[in-house]
Amino acid sequence: MPDQNTTETIDTVLLDVDGTLIDSTYLHALAWMRAFAAHDLTPLWWRVHRAIGMGGDRLVGEICGDEVEESLGDTLRDAWSEHYRGMLADVRPLPGAVDLIRGLLDADYRVALASSGKSEFTDAALDSMGLHRDDFAAVTTSDDADSSKPAPDILSVALERAGGGRAVVVGDTVWDIESAHRLPADCVAVRSGGFAEGELRDAGAILVVDDVGDLVARGWRP
């Protein structure tokens, strides 16, 4: 578990986006599969799904190996972006996403988005929720850090820009949990990204629920 000063009050909530606030995980997997198929690469669906939430700078090598990353990494990432861009009309907020954000803001927490996705896709997610960057203390994406999740860089930048002290992370993957622990911070996990409760608990989540709507129903506060 994170080694942090437990006497310091949590003042910041760092929210993942894909699979946590919006129902996009499987659309990302489909976009990657189409990008791979165009180059006669045929990874199994389950492997691609489990890598979603890891940044694109890491995903190609994780799925297809370092040789493919070196020869085709940027090409595959460009193709994934193009395929996913064409699916944006199908992206929907997950139940309770906006209510959770509004409730945390009303309770005077600093709320920041910390996504491994591209900036344009984070903006599209905000549009789908009827929200804007100005609604948050900070919005960070893969464009704001040298290394994506599970490195803690994106979370660290989000916390710093939000002006927070101690944070809790809400995410949907084992990559979010690892990134949180390396910050360090605790992580609340949701199952809406497709990871099993046992996996998320084993990775170190302090609480696992089906989706952020469950957090709203519980009246959850850090």
Side-chain angles (χ1 to χ4, degrees), residues 1-11 165-167 183-186:
M1 296 297 294
D3 180 18
Q4 52 185 3
N5 182 0
T6 56
T7 64
E8 186 179 2
T9 301
I10 292 173
D11 58 12
R166 183 183 176 205
L183 183 59
D186 287 328

Side-chain angles (χ1 to χ4, degrees), residues 67-147:
E67 184 175 339
V68 173
E69 166 58 34
E70 291 172 8
S71 62
L72 288 172
D74 289 340
T75 298
L76 290 166
R77 280 183 283 275
D78 287 344
W80 156 72
S81 294
E82 189 64 27
H83 287 301
Y84 184 71
R85 194 174 292 118
M87 301 177 190
L88 288 175
D90 296 319
V91 174
R92 299 287 185 271
L94 283 157
V98 176
D99 290 337
L100 176 67
I101 293 165
R102 294 297 188 196
L104 291 169
L105 291 172
D106 288 345
D108 292 328
Y109 288 97
R110 300 172 191 264
V111 181
L113 300 187
S115 170
S116 286
K118 293 170 67 70
S119 181
E120 66 172 296
F121 298 148
T122 298
D123 286 336
L126 288 171
D127 286 343
S128 76
M129 292 185 287
L131 298 171
H132 305 279
R133 284 178 176 251
D134 291 346
D135 292 319
F136 298 88
V139 176
T140 58
T141 67
S142 60
D143 299 336
D144 298 303
D146 292 333
S147 296

Side-chain angles (χ1 to χ4, degrees), residues 1-4 150 152 155 169 174-188 200-206:
M1 296 297 294
D3 180 18
Q4 52 185 3
L155 299 181
V169 176
V174 296
W175 316 116
D176 291 317
I177 298 167
E178 181 178 347
S179 181
H181 287 180
R182 292 168 67 179
L183 183 59
D186 287 328
C187 186
V188 172
L200 297 169
R201 289 194 182 280
D202 287 347
I206 60 168

Side-chain angles (χ1 to χ4, degrees), residues 16-20 22-36 43 45 47-56 59 63 76-77 79-88 90-92 115-125 142 172-173 192-193:
D16 176 57
V17 176
D18 290 296
T20 302
I22 60 170
D23 196 7
S24 57
T25 297
Y26 295 96
L27 296 176
H28 278 297
L30 177 58
W32 277 113
M33 289 295 284
R34 288 177 174 172
F36 291 136
W45 275 94
R47 286 182 54 80
V48 175
H49 165 254
R50 291 182 64 81
I52 302 301
M54 177 183 289
L59 186 145
I63 296 298
L76 290 166
R77 280 183 283 275
W80 156 72
S81 294
E82 189 64 27
H83 287 301
Y84 184 71
R85 194 174 292 118
M87 301 177 190
L88 288 175
D90 296 319
V91 174
R92 299 287 185 271
S115 170
S116 286
K118 293 170 67 70
S119 181
E120 66 172 296
F121 298 148
T122 298
D123 286 336
S142 60
D172 66 298
T173 71
S192 45

